Amino acid sequence: MTHHSATSADLAADTPRTTPRVTVIGTGYLGATHAACLAELGYDVLGLDTDPAKVADLAAGRLPFYEPGLAELVERHTATGRLRFTTDPAEAAEFADLHFVCVGTPQRRDSMAADTSHVEAAVASLVPHLRRDALLVGKSTVPVGTAAGLQALADEAAPADVRVGVAWNPEFLREGRAVDDTLRPDRIVVGVTDPLHEKVLRELYAPVVDTGVPFLVTDLATSELVKVAANAFLATKISFANAIAELCDAAGGDVVALTDAIGHDARIGHQFLSAGLGFGGGCLPKDIRALMARAGELGVDEALTFLREVDAVNMRRRSRTVALAVEECGGSVLGRRIAVLGAAFKPGTDDVRDSPALNVAAQLQLQGAHVRVHDPRANATAARTFPTLGYADTVEEAVTGADLVLHLTEWEEFRALDPAALEPARRVVVDARNALDARRWADAGWRVRGLGRPAVGPVPVTP
Ligand SMILES: NC(=O)c1ccc[n+]([C@@H]2O[C@H](COP(=O)([O-])OP(=O)(O)OC[C@H]3O[C@@H](n4cnc5c(N)ncnc54)[C@H](O)[C@@H]3O)[C@@H](O)[C@H]2O)c1
Ligand SMILES: O=c1ccn([C@@H]2O[C@H](COP(=O)(O)OP(=O)(O)O[C@H]3O[C@H](CO)[C@@H](O)[C@H](O)[C@H]3O)[C@@H](O)[C@H]2O)c(=O)[nH]1
């Protein structure tokens, strides 16, 4: 069977669709998920990445990171050959006429801005190999204006007689729920400059849109901004709850009861209102900083100065947790044994990018504590980033003999622990995610310190 590609030219001519082929450039958390989910929807997919080790893993059907439900999809679709991987841009250019760009846009080392060099490199490596008209669809989170810049780059790099379009299709998936968020998203947003590009994408996403998912079409700049605005709003909501937690600490209130009470107002809602150690990960922290930086470049930095406070409130959660640990150790953690439960930036993932848990663990180690970290999934990724921290294979190994326990990532496993069965030197836990059942722990003889809520349980003697 000759494969047919989902090109704008084909669709313009109303050519019937056979098995459309797509490539996904950048096969990290976002790209691997997108590629596997497109295969699940019935497309022939080729993933392209510059990292040969990652490509070798994926090509062998192995997911190089943890994401619930994704390993099964990768294994199944690589086995049938519907999902393949390469490091060769020429192969990708030949394979399809629709290319999704999913490479990273990390924070630059020298400023708060996003580093768009990987996106530019991805386009520059593919486009010269194109021999037919093609559509590049960006999914990476980028500063507004990037797509227009990439169009200019593509126009310049394209061989004569090859027309390359650029569209934007921001991604809203959450790690830990990436497969479900991709196959059943709240909405699909596409930014286009040409109705044909809209048609190509509408057709590609038909299996999803036909289930009732809103398909929202806008211009390039708006689509880029939708993504960063959504993340800025989510970050603001979390920091709002954490700012109120600071107030609760000062006044003796309980932020958990408070956010529950305000969340009942449907205009506010309960989601993303959990006060605690704050947000980390590969998205929210870098995205609010990149948005502030871009606003500055556009001369409207004042519009977003509040995001500086959102960031500052968030970073204070980490120092507040360290301070609580020091307080509970009688003024210094020097020589203290501290068990850290959690390393991932949130439960459900092994991702430790900008992990608040590891940041706290590292700060305590710097102050002279003997830190033992246990995470159900992220010990290995954490050890690669922070090799000098101690790691334990089990909760018991981390906690036994500890002077203090810190609960920093709210895995279900930790919530289900039997506090009576643990054997630390002192029964004190700092629940920086406000997620443990404090009453149950107190009943088992533990003193429980939350963030933004009163301490519960007995006060043990500090040796
Ligand atoms: N992780 C998420 O939950 C998520 C969700 C929505 C949006 N995003 C956005 O998606 C983008 C990717 O994020 P991620 O978390 O998947 O990052 P990641 O670091 O896990 O993956 C990026 C991948 O791109 C590859 N790469 C870099 N340069 C390349 C090039 N020139 N050609 C081909 N491959 C290249 C890297 O080797 C890596 O495998 C970012 O812009 C991010 O903000 C991420
Ligand atoms: O009430 C809350 C909710 C979350 N968090 C923390 O916020 C961070 C981010 O959580 P979440 O948003 O669930 O994780 P991500 O996978 O980073 O997803 C965000 O970033 C992605 C990349 O841009 C977007 O696609 C998603 O829509 C957006 O939710 C984590 O550290 C959480 O612990 C809180 O502290 N309190």
Side-chain angles (χ1 to χ4, degrees):
M1 182 181 100
T2 39
H3 282 281
H4 219 87
S5 309
T7 66
S8 49
D10 286 341
L11 288 164
D14 278 337
T15 312
R17 202 170 56 146
T18 55
T19 310
R21 295 172 149 203
V22 296
T23 78
V24 174
I25 307 173
T27 56
Y29 284 92
L30 165 60
T33 307
H34 192 60
C37 287
L38 286 179
E40 178 74 4
L41 292 176
Y43 299 107
D44 276 349
V45 183
L46 180 66
L48 170 70
D49 203 288
T50 46
D51 180 343
K54 196 172 276 187
V55 166
D57 269 345
L58 288 165
R62 284 190 303 270
L63 187 64
F65 54 88
Y66 172 67
E67 177 61 41
L70 187 57
E72 292 81 344
L73 287 190
V74 169
E75 195 182 337
R76 179 144 43 89
H77 294 302
T78 49
T80 62
R82 188 185 283 172
L83 176 60
R84 296 191 298 112
F85 294 90
T86 184
T87 54
D88 181 5
E91 190 184 344
E94 166 56 30
F95 182 79
D97 303 323
L98 180 57
H99 306 275
F100 283 96
V101 179
C102 298
V103 300
T105 48
Q107 186 177 335
R108 287 173 61 114
R109 286 180 192 283
D110 56 351
S111 75
M112 296 204 306
D115 176 359
T116 56
S117 65
H118 301 289
V119 184
E120 285 143 18
V123 171
S125 70
L126 179 85
V127 168
H129 297 289
L130 294 172
R131 296 293 172 262
R132 305 176 301 272
D133 291 356
L135 177 59
L136 307 185
V137 183
K139 287 195 81 62
S140 304
T141 302
V142 292
V144 59
T146 302
L150 292 177
Q151 179 68 69
L153 184 68
D155 290 345
E156 207 165 290
D161 304 329
V162 172
R163 281 176 308 143
V164 182
V166 172
W168 220 259
N169 169 217
E171 176 57 55
F172 303 95
L173 69 80
R174 291 160 290 180
E175 288 178 21
R177 312 167 74 141
V179 172
D180 204 49
D181 281 350
T182 304
L183 295 174
R184 281 168 286 277
D186 291 337
R187 76 301 209 186
I188 292 171
V189 175
V190 299
V192 293
T193 54
D194 182 334
L196 283 179
H197 301 163
E198 175 189 336
K199 200 174 170 195
V200 169
L201 289 168
R202 203 181 272 282
E203 179 134 342
L204 180 96
Y205 284 122
V208 176
V209 176
D210 288 351
T211 65
V213 172
F215 186 85
L216 311 174
V217 182
T218 178
D219 55 83
L220 288 180
T222 305
S223 68
E224 294 169 310
L225 283 170
V226 165
K227 172 65 201 177
V228 283
N231 275 2
F233 189 85
L234 293 170
T236 302
K237 207 172 170 193
I238 297 168
S239 276
F240 177 82
N242 282 327
I244 298 295
E246 288 187 28
L247 208 60
C248 285
D249 264 339
D254 181 346
V255 74
V256 176
L258 184 152
T259 48
D260 178 51
I262 64 172
H264 281 287
D265 184 329
R267 295 169 301 174
I268 296 174
H270 284 112
Q271 290 195 51
F272 268 71
L273 213 50
S274 297
L277 186 48
F279 57 82
C283 293
L284 298 191
K286 78 159 170 70
D287 288 349
I288 59 168
R289 291 173 197 149
L291 182 56
M292 282 186 272
R294 188 69 185 124
E297 287 167 11
L298 292 166
V300 288
D301 41 347
E302 278 183 358
L304 292 172
T305 45
F306 73 93
L307 286 179
R308 241 187 263 156
E309 283 308 315
V310 167
D311 200 2
V313 167
N314 189 53
M315 297 312 283
R316 277 206 297 276
R317 307 316 288 161
R318 304 176 187 191
S319 35
R320 168 76 184 139
T321 303
V322 171
L324 263 186
V326 170
E327 192 184 313
E328 289 300 328
C329 285
S332 167
V333 295
L334 186 66
R336 298 288 184 186
R337 286 159 303 176
I338 297 183
V340 167
L341 303 186
F345 81 97
K346 67 169 187 179
T349 180
D350 64 357
D351 193 348
V352 298
R353 285 180 288 185
D354 201 354
S355 165
L358 285 180
N359 180 291
V360 167
Q363 286 194 55
L364 290 169
Q365 190 191 38
L366 267 180
Q367 294 188 24
H370 302 297
V371 178
R372 269 181 311 202
V373 179
H374 172 71
D375 188 286
R377 292 281 177 178
N379 268 16
T381 44
R384 279 200 290 276
T385 318
F386 286 93
T388 62
L389 287 170
Y391 292 93
D393 289 335
T394 62
V395 171
E396 290 70 24
E397 190 190 328
V399 168
T400 302
D403 299 305
L404 179 67
V405 176
L406 301 185
H407 178 237
L408 304 186
T409 311
E410 70 278 31
W411 286 92
E412 205 41 59
E413 286 92 327
F414 298 151
R415 279 205 278 236
L417 283 171
D418 174 5
L422 299 172
E423 293 176 356
R426 293 165 68 241
R427 297 200 157 205
V428 185
V429 60
V430 173
D431 177 15
R433 292 294 179 180
N434 293 333
L436 300 175
D437 182 344
R439 204 56 269 161
R440 202 160 65 85
W441 283 66
D443 288 348
W446 288 74
R447 171 173 165 78
V448 184
R449 295 295 305 266
L451 265 63
R453 53 192 331 206
V456 183
V459 184
V461 180
T462 302

